[in-house]
Amino acid sequence: GGGAVLTMLGVALFFEKNLLRFGNLMFLSGVPLIIGPGRTAGFFLQPKKARATSCLGLGVALVFLGRPMLGMALEAFGFLNLFGNLFPIVFMMAKRVPVVG
């Protein structure tokens, strides 16, 4: 919710560093709060997802260090590699919603 809104607003305002930082903080704190710290570590530390996790982590670090454009590009690559296999499931669920489908 809030992390995605702040991140989109930060991108819309030409990569405003502080909004992107707050969006990343909300994402990083929100995932363990929603699914739990053990499942979060289990998901992000899988060996087959090491490249995607490292890209996402490096992107977050670059945003915090003041390089938002490069950081967001790495975050997007890591995010798509981590969660890309969930998009077909989300689309199938959206088709069953009467307003969307």
Side-chain angles (χ1 to χ4, degrees), residues 9-63:
L9 189 59
V11 171
L13 293 173
F14 303 108
F15 296 94
E16 211 289 316
K17 295 175 190 176
N18 292 324
L19 287 174
L20 293 173
R21 287 175 182 153
F22 282 124
N24 282 337
L25 279 175
M26 291 183 78
F27 173 75
L28 291 175
S29 63
V31 172
L33 286 174
I34 291 173
I35 64 173
R39 292 184 71 190
T40 301
F43 178 76
F44 284 107
L45 298 179
Q46 292 177 13
K48 65 181 180 178
K49 296 184 181 191
R51 181 179 66 173
T53 301
S54 61
C55 284
L56 185 67
L58 185 60
V60 169
L62 285 173
V63 168

Side-chain angles (χ1 to χ4, degrees), residues 60-81:
V60 169
L62 285 173
V63 168
F64 281 117
L65 292 175
R67 305 285 299 181
M69 293 185 79
L70 181 60
M72 287 303 295
L74 274 173
E75 281 183 37
F77 179 75
F79 186 82
L80 288 175
N81 281 323

Side-chain angles (χ1 to χ4, degrees), residues 80-91:
L80 288 175
N81 281 323
L82 279 172
F83 301 106
N85 58 352
L86 297 177
F87 290 130
I89 297 168
V90 171
F91 290 141

